[in-house]
Amino acid sequence: MLEQELADSDSEDDAINALTPAPAEASDAWDARPGRKRLRTGAVAAESCPPHPGFMHGMCIRCGAVLEDDEATGLALRYIHSGLRLSTAEAERVRQRSMRRVMDSGKLLLVLDLDHTLLNSTRLTDVCDEAGTLLDALLEREARAGAPPSLHRLAHLNLWTKLRPGVRAFLEAVARHFELHIYTHGDADYARAMAALLDPGGRLFAERVISQADSQQQHVKDLGVVLGAEAAAVIVDDTAAVWPQHAANLLLVERYIFFPACAERFGSTQRALLDEGRDEDPARGMLAAALRVLLEVHAGVFAAREGDPARDARVALAAARRRVLAGVRLCFSAVIPRGAASPQAHALWRLAEELGAQVADAPDEATTHVVSARDRTDKVLWARQHARFAVSTLWLHSCGVLWCKPDEQDFPVAEQRPLQLAPVRSEAQDLAAAMAGAGGGRGWASKPL
Amino acid sequence: MFFHLQLEREIELQPKHFGPRLAEILHKKLRTEIEGTCSGRYGFIIAVTDILNTGKGTIRDGTGSATFKVQYMCLVFRPFRGEVIDCVVSSVNKVGFFADAGPLQLFVSNHLIPDDFDFVSTDEPAFVSADEEVRVQAGAEVRMRIVGTRMDATEIFCVGTIKENYLGVINPAAAAVG
Ligand SMILES: [Mg+2]
Ligand SMILES: [Zn+2]
């Protein structure tokens, strides 16, 4: 057998004869030379191939058969290994297994975005001299303070990176209840560098760091690659548009914009925190709110028994959302144009209902809040007369962002002019800006779409 | 499996080396060029053990360099299907684990890990036996059987199994060090 293989290998060398005969099965491994790939079934561990569960560099991971060509079928898992692909059935099997494993250990899966969610990065060259001086001073101040710094200057990546205040405590807290994944549209080098900043011990994320090249489609993130079952996964991201398939799993967070270049990119009227000379309050900011919701979701899922449809992260997330304004009955004033065909379709109406509030066209006995864009409307006056809350639309926005009911006294209806809102941008524009900001604006993602 | 082979290679030398130390430089150059490389035919060339014949150099027109046909003995490492091999686990994930045997990288899928092993990811990712006695985790020494080899011109990759008698972790102590 070995001799045959060698004979037709146009071998000019006697050297090869020095190879002592290998075990019988070993002999056919010989023809794995370039250009001579044949499909063979394995003698060693023919469990139930085909179908082959997956391939490593075109070789079955169960029976060792080598594919005729490098057919690109199934799901590529480059973040695990550059040559690894799983068949659709195998990916589903791993997904179900990992859901059982994670839930048996009392955890859920958490998929975390990096840019504007856990941190904010910007290129060194995008920082003007004035801001650079401020950053250098902050860097020095944090170094002197001795605590783990939140600002980092990464010369090898040409980046400034600012961690969102409280992010390390947030990760420590959620890691007790979730298996953590990073999923970013930045490149692999960037993802690894950020994971190292967030998790210096490497305990929280292990190999579960997914970057731009791992996605199946450009600009789309996919739970498929995470190998996480949808019923057990929660996503925390600042950009809804990258998760078209998984809106029900998404906890959308307010963007963390520390560097001026990033504020410009999103065209927001909100200034960058650096420009304002302040930072988010870790106790009251977005991450604190997200942590509260995540713990609520976790508790909700595990309170439901096996087989109960409520044992689903998506159901628990929606339920947590509906509890925000449970018991509130509100009506709008000066928000929805009079005579609008379907006021229920208005974004704020839908938001209120999503948060569990009842919405009525006109105030009645049970009304608790009047949400108004202007002061002294009939409905606002009615609210004052009847000792009900009259609040600005910003109050409702805050409820939506922070998943709680902030103090109504902090949101009085605007005195004269209507609240100035940011220019309306399309979802596509927003997505483009988020992509441009991925990885701090390095590489392909920073190119205009 | 290791083999002691006689191979041949052409080595090019610049004229500045033509002198009393020519043979020495030639041998040194052979070693740096060949040791640690991987050939799709023979496997990994681990070490040159002996130089048999350097032949007469041929001067190349134009450059003045000379090429020598060097015959040498070397130790090669070539994995075979069916071979049992000892490796060190390098990383573990939910799909399986990776291990190294010297320069060779191997992968064992969770299909070829005994059924009573479960993947755990609290702390260090590992496949752990039902009685929690055995942990396949980074740093552990594992004995596996090679199920398939993929050899390209410059790379060899193997898939293996530990789902057979006498296979699996042989030195858990190494795990603590790793
Ligand atoms: Mg983002
Ligand atoms: Zn197979």
Side-chain angles (χ1 to χ4, degrees):
Chain A
M1 181 72 176
L2 180 63
E3 280 68 29
Q4 259 174 13
E5 286 285 345
L6 293 174
D8 67 332
S9 71
D10 68 277
S11 150
E12 79 294 319
D13 29 32
D14 298 333
I16 216 150
N17 291 330
L19 299 181
T20 48
E25 313 98 300
S27 57
D28 38 67
W30 248 141
D31 68 3
R33 287 184 299 267
R36 292 203 59 204
K37 291 156 194 164
R38 283 193 267 142
L39 187 68
R40 282 177 263 101
T41 46
V44 177
E47 207 179 79
S48 60
C49 275
H52 307 290
F55 291 92
M56 184 64 87
H57 292 300
M59 177 169 56
C60 174
I61 57 173
R62 180 162 61 193
C63 67
V66 175
L67 271 187
E68 195 71 53
D69 304 297
D70 289 330
E71 296 165 41
T73 55
L75 178 68
L77 294 169
R78 276 176 286 256
Y79 70 100
I80 294 179
H81 190 280
S82 60
L84 180 63
R85 286 184 159 276
L86 293 187
S87 72
T88 316
E90 172 70 359
E92 186 54 30
R93 194 186 73 96
V94 174
R95 207 166 284 145
Q96 292 304 326
R97 253 173 91 136
S98 73
M99 169 162 90
R100 236 176 305 127
R101 166 181 60 81
V102 171
M103 291 188 73
D104 283 352
S105 65
K107 289 188 175 182
L108 296 174
L109 303 173
L110 184 59
V111 180
L112 297 161
D113 173 49
L114 288 178
D115 294 297
H116 311 113
T117 299
L118 299 183
L119 48 81
N120 186 197
S121 294
T122 195
R123 281 177 295 196
L124 297 180
T125 42
D126 283 349
V127 172
C128 66
D129 292 346
E130 193 188 342
T133 318
L134 287 173
L135 291 173
D136 286 334
L138 179 58
L139 204 60
E140 209 172 294
R141 208 158 55 238
E142 289 197 327
R144 263 204 313 273
S150 69
L151 180 67
H152 299 268
R153 190 177 196 280
L154 306 166
H156 62 293
L157 293 173
N158 184 33
L159 286 180
W160 280 106
T161 294
K162 175 72 177 65
L163 304 184
R164 199 165 198 167
V167 69
R168 286 208 188 84
F170 168 81
L171 293 175
E172 286 293 335
V174 289
R176 283 194 281 275
H177 306 280
F178 293 84
E179 184 177 274
L180 308 189
H181 298 68
I182 285 177
Y183 197 149
T184 174
H185 269 127
D187 61 37
D189 288 344
Y190 176 74
R192 268 192 295 274
M194 295 302 111
L197 290 184
L198 294 167
D199 172 26
R203 296 172 302 111
L204 302 177
F205 298 112
E207 89 291 351
R208 302 181 298 271
V209 179
I210 303 166
S211 54
Q212 169 256 118
D214 301 315
S215 285
Q216 309 253 79
Q217 280 172 277
Q218 235 186 35
H219 304 162
V220 173
K221 295 185 182 181
D222 189 354
L223 279 180
V225 183
V226 179
L227 291 179
E230 294 176 10
V234 183
I235 300 159
V236 176
D237 202 315
D238 66 290
T239 308
V242 296
W243 292 104
Q245 310 293 328
H246 306 290
N249 298 82
L250 178 65
L251 196 174
L252 188 68
V253 296
E254 189 184 33
R255 290 210 162 98
Y256 179 61
I257 299 179
F258 187 78
F259 296 108
C262 304
E264 263 167 51
R265 199 176 281 131
F266 286 107
S268 57
T269 50
Q270 173 202 347
R271 294 169 68 207
L273 292 164
L274 181 63
D275 277 346
E276 298 205 326
R278 63 185 187 95
D279 207 345
E280 238 177 52
D281 178 354
R284 297 177 54 205
M286 189 65 233
L287 288 181
L291 174 61
R292 193 165 35 73
V293 175
L294 289 170
L295 295 183
E296 221 176 295
V297 168
H298 180 271
V301 168
F302 286 99
R305 270 207 295 277
E306 204 112 12
D308 186 337
R311 200 175 164 87
D312 185 319
R314 294 164 293 188
V315 175
L317 195 62
R321 191 101 176 123
R322 274 195 310 276
R323 278 196 292 275
V324 173
L325 291 184
V328 167
R329 183 174 168 87
L330 57 81
C331 66
F332 289 108
S333 176
V335 170
I336 300 166
R338 205 182 296 275
S342 55
Q344 291 86 350
H346 192 275
L348 282 178
W349 189 301
R350 285 204 317 238
L351 174 62
E353 286 191 334
E354 194 182 300
L355 295 171
Q358 287 180 13
V359 188
D361 286 318
D364 56 33
E365 256 321 289
T367 299
T368 57
H369 291 69
V370 170
V371 178
S372 178
R374 244 183 310 118
D375 200 1
R376 287 182 232 289
T377 64
D378 288 349
K379 289 175 191 169
V380 169
L381 295 175
W382 176 90
R384 295 217 173 102
Q385 271 165 19
H386 294 79
R388 313 292 160 88
F389 293 114
V391 289
S392 70
T393 51
L394 200 56
W395 175 79
L396 189 55
H397 281 295
S398 291
C399 295
V401 169
L402 293 174
W403 294 64
C404 67
K405 197 159 54 123
D407 192 346
E408 284 85 353
Q409 310 304 330
D410 295 343
F411 295 88
V413 281
E415 201 48 55
Q416 12 11 45
R417 66 199 159 81
L419 184 78
Q420 201 194 337
L421 288 170
V424 178
R425 289 157 61 93
S426 70
E427 193 168 72
Q429 282 175 314
D430 189 69
L431 176 62
M435 283 302 128
R442 281 156 36 89
W444 70 273
S446 65
K447 286 176 216 126
L449 291 171
Chain B
M1 208 173 285
F2 292 93
F3 298 97
H4 200 203
L5 291 187
Q6 183 185 333
L7 298 178
E8 192 179 82
R9 185 182 176 90
E10 284 202 346
I11 301 285
E12 188 174 327
L13 225 52
Q14 288 180 340
K16 65 178 175 188
H17 298 306
F18 300 168
R21 294 177 61 233
L22 187 141
E24 187 192 327
I25 291 165
L26 198 58
H27 296 176
K28 202 165 162 188
K29 192 153 188 230
L30 172 73
R31 287 203 158 84
T32 51
E33 277 185 18
I34 204 100
E35 284 183 354
T37 62
C38 173
S39 106
R41 167 157 292 169
Y42 305 110
F44 297 100
I45 297 174
I46 306 291
V48 174
T49 56
D50 205 5
I51 287 163
L52 305 174
N53 189 0
T54 48
K56 285 202 174 89
T58 317
I59 303 288
R60 296 178 63 157
D61 291 340
T63 66
S65 297
T67 55
F68 296 81
K69 272 205 164 121
V70 184
Q71 287 169 348
Y72 59 95
M73 295 300 293
C74 64
L75 193 65
V76 299
F77 169 52
R78 189 192 183 293
F80 287 93
R81 185 127 74 99
E83 183 181 350
V84 172
I85 192 168
D86 292 351
C87 325
V88 178
V89 176
S90 54
S91 71
V92 180
N93 60 70
K94 54 191 153 196
V95 186
F97 69 86
F98 291 91
D100 298 323
L104 176 67
Q105 202 187 19
L106 306 99
F107 176 71
V108 177
S109 125
N110 60 22
H111 287 279
L112 300 179
I113 295 170
D115 292 331
D116 64 324
F117 278 67
D118 268 325
F119 177 68
V120 294
S121 64
T122 41
D123 300 334
E124 180 93 7
F127 284 90
V128 181
S129 63
D131 58 9
E132 301 200 357
E133 290 281 303
V134 187
R135 287 179 75 88
V136 180
Q137 69 179 35
E141 282 174 34
V142 164
R143 182 164 293 164
M144 68 174 75
R145 184 187 294 282
I146 295 173
V147 169
T149 61
R150 177 78 192 248
M151 298 183 68
D152 288 324
T154 56
E155 237 188 343
I156 308 181
F157 192 89
C158 291
V159 295
T161 178
I162 59 166
K163 200 177 181 176
E164 281 177 41
N165 288 339
Y166 309 112
L167 299 181
V169 175
I170 50 173
N171 190 0
V177 183

